Amino acid sequence: MQQVINQLPQTQGVLSQTEIASGLKEALNKGIEKQVVKLTNVDGFYKNELVKILLPEELKKVDKGLRDIGMSKLADEGLKVLNRAAEDAVKTSTPIFVDAIKGMSFTDAKNILLGNDTSATAYLQNSTSTALYGKFNPVIKNSFAKVGADKVWTNIITKYNSIPLVKKVNPDLTDYTTNKAMEGVFKMIAVEEKDIRNNLASRTSDLLKRVFAIQDAK
């Protein structure tokens, strides 16, 4: 009988709340190591339809206005540099997200573990976004300057505002790109969390196997 018991998956009774939380943190960190790093490559945002940053609603008229006067190339460049800034920023700010995961405290780890496929990511996003924004926004601002997005968009807005009879615009693209880049990071972490929850082969440590066996048994 003891041999049979030993072969059964670990159950919640032998795992503490701390161990469950540690397993969930490991899953989120694995999301950064495996998925978020993809965003830091050239076209990591721009050619990934899941996270590609599109123009905000107020700038769609700017895009159309430029194309209407034969400036399609400038309009295309404007979209590309937003994504380039996000790619550059994530490259230098990954430790911000790692620290956020280390510092998070699961008040009810079991409920998160037994939730939907992206419950841990959603918890991280909801509990850390405000603090992360404060750290990530200046990183995005620096990346705007680094990839030349600030100059491109100054040129775009100046040219658009000079078109007769248009309503002038002055968007806060740093704020917009910060939010969209953070959103992209969390989406990619969620991809990995979902994989760990549904694919036994993705549980690459003993802790992940033990913790997510509880979810499997629900």
Side-chain angles (χ1 to χ4, degrees), residues 25 74 83-84 123 144 181 202 204:
K25 288 182 183 182
L74 182 58
N83 287 272
R84 288 285 181 270
Y123 181 90
F144 256 61
S202 293
T204 53

Side-chain angles (χ1 to χ4, degrees), residues 57-111:
E57 200 61 40
E58 68 178 305
L59 289 185
K60 288 179 181 175
K61 61 185 178 182
V62 175
D63 183 83
K64 183 178 183 306
L66 291 176
R67 294 181 193 281
D68 286 346
I69 61 172
M71 297 187 123
S72 296
K73 188 176 180 181
L74 182 58
D76 290 339
E77 182 66 12
L79 181 61
K80 185 177 286 188
V81 291
L82 291 185
N83 287 272
R84 288 285 181 270
E87 291 155 11
D88 181 70
V90 172
K91 188 184 304 179
T92 59
S93 65
T94 300
I96 294 174
F97 295 98
V98 173
D99 287 344
I101 291 173
K102 285 180 182 175
M104 69 190 295
S105 60
F106 286 105
T107 53
D108 194 348
K110 191 187 85 170
N111 285 344

Side-chain angles (χ1 to χ4, degrees), residues 2-65:
Q2 187 60 46
Q3 286 179 332
V4 173
I5 292 173
N6 289 342
Q7 291 172 9
L8 292 174
Q10 295 279 3
T11 61
Q12 183 193 338
V14 296
L15 282 178
S16 69
Q17 210 74 337
T18 300
E19 288 175 305
I20 294 174
S22 294
L24 292 170
K25 288 182 183 182
E26 185 176 329
L28 293 171
N29 275 313
K30 195 163 181 281
I32 286 179
E33 293 168 7
K34 186 176 177 181
Q35 299 294 343
V36 175
V37 70
K38 295 176 183 177
L39 299 178
T40 66
N41 297 325
V42 174
D43 291 329
F45 273 87
Y46 191 62
K47 290 189 177 178
N48 182 341
E49 292 303 317
L50 186 64
V51 297
K52 182 179 181 178
I53 299 174
L54 303 175
L55 292 179
E57 200 61 40
E58 68 178 305
L59 289 185
K60 288 179 181 175
K61 61 185 178 182
V62 175
D63 183 83
K64 183 178 183 306

